[in-house]
Amino acid sequence: MKSAVETLNPTRVRLTVEVPFEELKDSLDAAYKKINQQVTVKGFRKGKIPARVIDQRFGRGAVLEEAVNDALPKFYTDAVNEAELSVLGQPEVDITELKDGETLNFTAEVDIRPSIEIPDFSGIEVEVDAVEVTDEDVDKAVEELRERFASTAPVERAAEDGDVVTIDLQAKVDGEVLEDGVADGVSYTIGSGELLEGIDDAVKGVEAGGEATFTSELKGGSAAGKEAEVTVKVTQVAKRELPELDDEFAQLASEFDTIEELRADSRKRLENMKQYDQATQAQERVLEKLLELVEVPVPEKLLEDEINTRKHNLEHHQLGQMGLDLAKYLEIQGKSEEEFDAETKEAAVKGIKTQFVLDELVKQEKLNVNQEELTEHLMRRAASSGMSPDQFAQAVVEGGQVPLLVGEVARGKALAVVVEKATVKDTNGEIIDLDDEEDETESAATESAEAEATEASTEEKTEG
């Protein structure tokens, strides 16, 4: 077999392959054997039909077609490996010549990973938010904890803001009660905004046993997006009672004995959260600066596939779970379809560039992923997916996704290398040493790299 490579553009090549006919022998034998098992010829046992009879009865062309279809993937892969190409996606193959007993010639056009040169990135400088926890931040955190331990007590008066009401709901569209528009015994905190728009004004001032009617646009269900007439009946009004902020509350709500110890712990937790946010912010801003330094051509077909994947995931997964379609989502966001398409394309381009650049850095820095790092990443991904680590690991292995996870961790390590060499200052002008929070930094780097990289990884969809 002989092959040659023609570069069509920085992300696409054409392979020209010439195969001597004798190299098709194994595939021809396999083709005759396969046809033997599929056909019946009078006077011959199944599987024992001579090749000349198959040629006479079914045509030599059918055998050649079967043999070529069997052989092409191998010859294409051999040509790719010989040229040391990093291909993306499936090739467009064209058989240019097939002469029985002489030769098989074909071309294959395919996208490839572009050659990327990573410049010196040690001069990157970024600014991040300072880690500052105020007394007000601590007060808010303790108050949120206090809210979780609130109790309720029924009252004999009209409902007010902050009360918890028990209500029955009935929604009508065009005068007809919806099958999925009836709900009884719903507990609702007035002012929480967790139910229908307009319900707060409707129930305020209503006592137990009273009812009110209002109109609201339904957010989900069979009549999502339609105006409905909603009748709400209040069956109970209860006042929320918050516990006193004292040592007794600290012992109830935490492992601490005093309210001061609880507040100190809340402050420490907030500082840790802000440090993690700071590390994440550093990763994202360093990554943006890095991408500005590197020229990365993007394969058109890969970009098209990535845009379609992002749209599909949004429409059929995220929006579907919320009972919305794309048109309604765009209306809520106040965006036109053109603006949405432009944003999706921009995000897809950035994702592809991120993956290409960080993968190149992985090679350049000779970064490896050990079992402990992979396990830690798997645990994080399992937690975010809502699956147990064992379930997630099984799904990853069965789906052949282990290389994807390895790639995510490796890209995170590559980004961490860049961040380590960058200058990171906070808004107070202080230089931030992210090495002090090494665990948080590596975790944040992996998540930043993963978030910015493609939603459907190029390895997953394409490489082979």
Side-chain angles (χ1 to χ4, degrees):
M1 183 194 83
K2 291 192 298 184
S3 65
V5 181
E6 176 188 356
T7 300
L8 303 178
N9 62 48
T11 63
R12 194 165 179 84
V13 297
R14 179 188 292 123
L15 287 162
T16 301
V17 184
E18 298 178 11
V19 183
F21 204 79
E22 57 266 23
E23 293 187 31
L24 282 171
K25 183 179 183 307
D26 289 345
S27 293
L28 277 169
D29 291 343
Y32 278 116
K33 186 174 182 180
K34 182 175 180 180
I35 295 172
N36 241 307
Q37 299 300 322
Q38 294 175 337
V39 301
T40 303
V41 176
K42 190 174 181 180
F44 296 96
R45 284 183 294 148
K46 197 174 185 69
K48 299 295 183 181
I49 309 168
R52 60 180 175 77
V53 175
I54 290 176
D55 289 346
Q56 291 169 356
R57 289 293 187 95
F58 306 102
R60 174 71 168 176
V63 180
L64 287 175
E65 182 179 356
E66 180 67 39
V68 169
N69 287 340
D70 175 72
L72 271 179
K74 176 185 179 301
F75 292 129
Y76 164 73
T77 301
D78 289 346
V80 165
N81 292 338
E82 185 178 294
E84 297 182 344
L85 298 174
S86 181
V87 299
L88 302 167
Q90 298 302 313
E92 294 178 8
V93 176
D94 181 27
I95 298 174
T96 55
E97 187 175 28
L98 175 58
K99 288 186 178 179
D100 194 358
E102 295 183 28
T103 187
L104 162 66
N105 297 337
F106 69 90
T107 61
E109 287 191 17
V110 66
D111 286 334
I112 60 168
R113 277 181 177 261
S115 177
I116 298 172
E117 189 171 328
I118 307 292
D120 178 23
F121 48 77
S122 60
I124 289 177
E125 291 189 16
V126 297
E127 184 181 74
V128 296
D129 294 336
V131 174
E132 296 174 343
V133 177
T134 65
D135 289 342
E136 288 75 16
D137 293 331
V138 177
D139 291 342
K140 183 180 177 183
V142 173
E143 188 63 26
E144 287 174 355
L145 181 62
R146 186 184 180 204
E147 291 276 351
R148 295 210 299 269
F149 283 84
S151 59
T152 58
V155 291
E156 299 293 330
R157 60 164 172 75
E160 301 173 356
D161 256 331
D163 284 345
V164 178
V165 289
T166 304
I167 54 178
D168 298 337
L169 294 165
Q170 183 185 82
K172 292 181 181 179
V173 172
D174 299 329
E176 295 290 328
V177 178
L178 299 171
E179 285 187 17
D180 55 355
V182 178
D184 294 334
V186 177
S187 181
Y188 175 66
T189 301
I190 300 175
S192 66
E194 294 174 351
L195 279 178
L196 298 167
E197 189 175 337
I199 193 169
D200 290 336
D201 291 336
V203 296
K204 276 190 289 188
V206 178
E207 297 184 22
E211 64 178 50
T213 301
F214 64 101
T215 58
S216 184
E217 183 180 305
L218 299 178
K219 302 300 183 186
S222 61
K226 293 184 178 180
E227 284 285 325
E229 181 184 89
V230 183
T231 300
V232 54
K233 181 178 180 180
V234 178
T235 59
Q236 185 186 76
V237 178
K239 182 181 180 180
R240 298 179 78 247
E241 297 180 344
L242 298 172
E244 291 294 325
L245 285 178
D246 51 22
D247 293 347
E248 187 176 336
F249 169 70
Q251 293 161 22
L252 169 69
S254 71
E255 69 270 31
F256 302 106
D257 293 326
T258 68
I259 192 68
E260 288 309 313
E261 288 176 325
L262 173 60
R263 287 180 61 83
D265 181 68
S266 296
R267 183 179 295 275
K268 183 62 179 174
R269 288 174 185 271
L270 289 171
E271 286 175 352
N272 289 341
M273 286 171 57
K274 291 201 173 190
Q275 283 174 346
Y276 184 86
D277 291 343
Q278 187 185 65
T280 301
Q281 199 175 61
Q283 320 301 326
E284 293 169 351
R285 294 182 180 179
V286 167
L287 177 59
E288 287 175 4
K289 292 279 189 179
L290 177 64
L291 293 180
E292 290 173 6
L293 294 175
V294 188
E295 187 68 32
V296 186
V298 176
E300 289 183 15
K301 182 65 168 62
L302 181 62
L303 177 59
E304 180 185 335
D305 289 346
E306 181 61 23
I307 290 171
N308 290 336
T309 296
R310 288 174 182 257
K311 285 184 175 180
H312 181 274
N313 288 344
L314 176 66
E315 289 188 65
H316 298 280
H317 297 295
Q318 296 160 261
L319 296 183
Q321 292 175 354
M322 296 187 286
L324 297 175
D325 59 17
L326 183 59
K328 188 62 185 176
Y329 168 75
L330 293 179
E331 182 185 328
I332 293 170
Q333 294 290 313
K335 294 177 184 174
S336 67
E337 193 167 339
E338 290 74 19
E339 289 172 325
F340 169 74
D341 287 343
E343 288 178 6
T344 303
K345 181 178 180 180
E346 182 181 356
V349 168
K350 186 177 181 182
I352 292 170
K353 285 184 174 182
T354 295
Q355 186 161 326
F356 283 171
V357 169
L358 294 183
D359 284 347
E360 183 63 30
L361 267 171
V362 169
K363 288 196 297 183
Q364 183 174 299
E365 299 291 328
K366 297 181 173 60
L367 300 175
N368 295 309
V369 176
N370 61 41
Q371 186 61 48
E372 183 181 352
E373 292 166 335
L374 182 59
T375 301
E376 287 177 0
H377 183 56
L378 186 148
M379 299 280 278
R380 284 196 298 269
R381 287 289 304 272
S384 64
S385 71
M387 300 169 69
S388 73
D390 287 345
Q391 288 174 324
F392 187 79
Q394 184 177 350
V396 165
V397 172
E398 290 178 354
Q401 306 293 296
V402 173
L404 288 177
L405 261 65
V406 172
E408 289 171 359
V409 178
R411 285 188 281 275
K413 294 180 74 170
L415 181 53
V417 167
V418 184
V419 173
E420 185 182 346
K421 294 185 179 180
T423 301
V424 181
K425 294 181 179 179
D426 67 16
T427 48
N428 294 328
E430 298 289 329
I431 292 180
I432 305 301
D433 185 1
L434 293 172
D435 287 343
D436 292 344
E437 296 95 36
E438 189 172 346
D439 290 342
E440 287 87 349
T441 302
E442 284 226 358
S443 174
T446 301
E447 291 185 16
S448 294
E450 181 188 337
E452 292 295 351
T454 53
E455 292 195 0
S457 172
T458 53
E459 285 104 339
E460 177 185 20
K461 294 189 296 186
T462 58
E463 297 200 34

